[in-house]
Amino acid sequence: YLEGLLMQCLAVLALEFDGTDEPHSAGTVTHIPVGADRYLSIQPEERQALETVHEILTENFANPPTIHELSSQVLLPPQKLKYAFRHYYHMTIHAYVLSLRMTEAARLLQTSSLRVEEIGAKVGYPYPGNFISVFKKTYGITPLQFRRSKSDTIV
Protein backbone atom coordinates (compact mmCIF):
# COMPACT_ATOMS: atom_id res chain seq x y z
CA TYR A 1 0.00 0.00 0.00
CA LEU A 2 2.74 2.42 0.98
CA GLU A 3 4.75 1.46 -2.08
CA GLY A 4 1.83 2.47 -4.30
CA LEU A 5 1.48 5.81 -2.54
CA LEU A 6 5.20 6.39 -2.84
CA MET A 7 5.07 5.69 -6.58
CA GLN A 8 2.27 8.23 -6.96
CA CYS A 9 4.29 10.83 -5.05
CA LEU A 10 7.32 10.17 -7.21
CA ALA A 11 5.21 10.60 -10.33
CA VAL A 12 4.05 14.00 -9.10
CA LEU A 13 7.62 15.03 -8.28
CA ALA A 14 8.73 13.88 -11.72
CA LEU A 15 6.57 16.61 -13.20
CA GLU A 16 8.97 19.16 -11.80
CA PHE A 17 12.29 17.73 -12.94
CA ASP A 18 13.62 16.16 -16.11
CA GLY A 19 16.64 14.44 -14.59
CA THR A 20 18.94 17.43 -14.91
CA ASP A 21 18.00 18.84 -11.51
CA GLU A 22 16.68 21.92 -13.29
CA PRO A 23 13.01 22.76 -12.80
CA HIS A 24 10.93 22.74 -15.97
CA SER A 25 10.08 26.10 -17.31
CA ALA A 26 6.70 26.43 -18.97
CA GLY A 27 8.01 27.64 -22.33
CA THR A 28 10.98 25.37 -22.97
CA VAL A 29 11.32 22.41 -25.29
CA THR A 30 12.55 19.22 -23.64
CA HIS A 31 14.61 16.65 -25.53
CA ILE A 32 14.29 13.10 -24.28
CA PRO A 33 16.55 10.25 -25.40
CA VAL A 34 14.93 7.35 -27.25
CA GLY A 35 18.08 5.65 -28.46
CA ALA A 36 21.82 6.02 -28.66
CA ASP A 37 21.64 9.08 -30.89
CA ARG A 38 17.91 9.83 -31.19
CA TYR A 39 15.87 12.32 -29.23
CA LEU A 40 12.22 13.32 -29.09
CA SER A 41 11.40 16.98 -28.69
CA ILE A 42 8.57 17.68 -26.28
CA GLN A 43 6.91 21.04 -26.79
CA PRO A 44 5.24 22.86 -23.87
CA GLU A 45 1.76 22.03 -25.18
CA GLU A 46 2.75 18.35 -25.44
CA ARG A 47 3.91 18.52 -21.83
CA GLN A 48 0.44 19.75 -20.92
CA ALA A 49 -1.04 16.86 -22.91
CA LEU A 50 1.01 14.43 -20.78
CA GLU A 51 -0.39 15.99 -17.63
CA THR A 52 -3.87 15.52 -19.09
CA VAL A 53 -3.08 11.85 -19.78
CA HIS A 54 -1.90 11.48 -16.18
CA GLU A 55 -5.18 12.97 -14.93
CA ILE A 56 -7.28 10.77 -17.25
CA LEU A 57 -5.49 7.64 -16.05
CA THR A 58 -5.76 8.66 -12.39
CA GLU A 59 -9.50 9.22 -12.70
CA ASN A 60 -10.17 6.10 -14.83
CA PHE A 61 -7.67 3.54 -13.55
CA ALA A 62 -10.30 0.81 -13.21
CA ASN A 63 -11.20 1.12 -16.89
CA PRO A 64 -8.40 3.10 -18.54
CA PRO A 65 -8.48 4.13 -22.18
CA THR A 66 -6.10 2.37 -24.56
CA ILE A 67 -2.90 4.04 -25.73
CA HIS A 68 -4.58 4.80 -29.05
CA GLU A 69 -7.62 6.33 -27.35
CA LEU A 70 -5.37 8.47 -25.13
CA SER A 71 -3.34 9.43 -28.17
CA SER A 72 -6.47 10.62 -29.97
CA GLN A 73 -7.75 12.50 -26.92
CA VAL A 74 -4.57 14.52 -26.39
CA LEU A 75 -3.38 14.63 -30.02
CA LEU A 76 -0.01 12.97 -29.45
CA PRO A 77 1.29 10.07 -31.54
CA PRO A 78 1.17 6.82 -29.53
CA GLN A 79 4.95 6.24 -29.56
CA LYS A 80 5.67 9.79 -28.45
CA LEU A 81 3.06 9.47 -25.72
CA LYS A 82 4.63 6.27 -24.41
CA TYR A 83 8.22 7.55 -24.47
CA ALA A 84 7.33 10.92 -22.96
CA PHE A 85 5.12 9.44 -20.22
CA ARG A 86 7.90 7.08 -19.20
CA HIS A 87 10.44 9.91 -19.20
CA TYR A 88 8.38 12.30 -17.08
CA TYR A 89 6.77 9.81 -14.71
CA HIS A 90 9.61 7.25 -14.54
CA MET A 91 7.26 4.37 -15.31
CA THR A 92 5.23 3.08 -18.21
CA ILE A 93 1.55 3.89 -18.58
CA HIS A 94 0.75 0.27 -17.74
CA ALA A 95 2.89 0.38 -14.57
CA TYR A 96 1.19 3.61 -13.48
CA VAL A 97 -2.31 2.14 -13.93
CA LEU A 98 -1.21 -1.02 -12.10
CA SER A 99 0.14 1.01 -9.16
CA LEU A 100 -3.13 2.94 -8.91
CA ARG A 101 -5.18 -0.27 -9.03
CA MET A 102 -3.11 -2.04 -6.40
CA THR A 103 -3.02 1.00 -4.11
CA GLU A 104 -6.80 1.29 -4.25
CA ALA A 105 -7.22 -2.46 -3.76
CA ALA A 106 -5.01 -2.35 -0.67
CA ARG A 107 -6.96 0.61 0.68
CA LEU A 108 -10.29 -1.17 0.13
CA LEU A 109 -9.00 -4.36 1.74
CA GLN A 110 -8.06 -2.35 4.83
CA THR A 111 -11.10 -0.09 5.06
CA SER A 112 -14.06 -2.03 3.71
CA SER A 113 -15.80 -5.32 4.22
CA LEU A 114 -16.19 -5.92 0.47
CA ARG A 115 -15.37 -9.41 -0.74
CA VAL A 116 -12.09 -9.88 -2.58
CA GLU A 117 -14.00 -10.49 -5.84
CA GLU A 118 -15.88 -7.19 -5.42
CA ILE A 119 -12.68 -5.27 -4.76
CA GLY A 120 -11.07 -6.85 -7.81
CA ALA A 121 -14.01 -5.77 -9.96
CA LYS A 122 -13.91 -2.22 -8.51
CA VAL A 123 -10.25 -1.81 -9.47
CA GLY A 124 -10.63 -3.21 -12.97
CA TYR A 125 -10.28 -6.98 -12.70
CA PRO A 126 -13.54 -8.71 -13.67
CA TYR A 127 -11.96 -12.13 -13.09
CA PRO A 128 -11.02 -12.76 -9.43
CA GLY A 129 -8.16 -15.09 -10.37
CA ASN A 130 -6.44 -12.35 -12.37
CA PHE A 131 -6.85 -9.86 -9.52
CA ILE A 132 -5.50 -12.27 -6.91
CA SER A 133 -2.53 -13.15 -9.13
CA VAL A 134 -1.57 -9.50 -9.80
CA PHE A 135 -2.10 -8.54 -6.16
CA LYS A 136 0.11 -11.40 -4.98
CA LYS A 137 2.79 -10.47 -7.50
CA THR A 138 2.68 -6.85 -6.26
CA TYR A 139 2.52 -7.40 -2.50
CA GLY A 140 3.88 -10.92 -2.09
CA ILE A 141 0.71 -12.17 -0.39
CA THR A 142 -2.87 -12.80 -1.45
CA PRO A 143 -5.54 -10.14 -0.89
CA LEU A 144 -7.08 -12.19 1.92
CA GLN A 145 -3.71 -12.62 3.64
CA PHE A 146 -3.14 -8.88 3.24
CA ARG A 147 -6.51 -8.08 4.82
CA ARG A 148 -5.85 -10.42 7.74
CA SER A 149 -2.34 -9.10 8.34
CA LYS A 150 -3.52 -5.50 8.32
CA SER A 151 -6.49 -6.18 10.59
CA ASP A 152 -4.10 -7.81 13.10
CA THR A 153 -1.99 -4.64 13.27
CA ILE A 154 -4.95 -2.25 13.64
CA VAL A 155 -5.85 -2.66 17.31
Side-chain angles (χ1 to χ4, degrees):
Y1 175 74
L2 290 174
E3 181 182 347
L5 290 176
L6 180 60
M7 290 188 66
Q8 289 178 19
C9 290
L10 289 173
V12 170
L13 288 173
L15 287 172
E16 298 301 318
F17 296 96
D18 66 0
T20 62
D21 294 333
E22 296 294 323
H24 283 285
S25 124
T28 60
V29 175
T30 304
H31 301 283
I32 60 173
V34 293
D37 57 351
R38 287 187 41 220
Y39 292 87
L40 278 178
S41 296
I42 305 297
Q43 304 295 325
E45 60 275 6
E46 292 172 324
R47 176 79 172 125
Q48 182 59 47
L50 288 173
E51 291 174 19
T52 300
V53 166
H54 187 267
E55 290 169 14
I56 290 169
L57 293 172
T58 301
E59 293 169 7
N60 302 293
F61 66 87
N63 188 23
T66 66
I67 297 290
H68 291 287
E69 290 168 341
L70 284 169
S71 174
S72 295
Q73 288 177 11
V74 299
L75 305 175
L76 278 179
Q79 282 301 106
K80 191 172 204 175
L81 172 61
K82 290 192 285 189
Y83 277 116
F85 191 94
R86 185 175 187 145
H87 174 79
Y88 284 109
Y89 295 102
H90 305 286
M91 65 181 80
T92 64
I93 290 172
H94 175 75
Y96 180 65
V97 169
L98 179 66
S99 75
L100 292 172
R101 286 176 167 183
M102 293 299 104
T103 300
E104 179 64 6
R107 186 189 70 75
L108 289 171
L109 285 164
Q110 289 180 305
T111 63
S112 77
S113 59
L114 293 171
R115 294 186 0 246
V116 169
E117 296 80 13
E118 294 171 312
I119 291 172
K122 276 188 167 294
V123 299
Y125 293 94
Y127 301 106
N130 292 349
F131 169 64
I132 292 166
S133 175
V134 172
F135 191 93
K136 186 172 182 176
K137 186 175 180 182
T138 302
Y139 290 103
I141 56 177
T142 66
L144 198 53
Q145 291 169 329
F146 181 88
R147 175 176 270 165
R148 287 182 183 145
S149 72
K150 297 305 175 183
S151 67
D152 292 344
T153 60
I154 303 174
V155 176

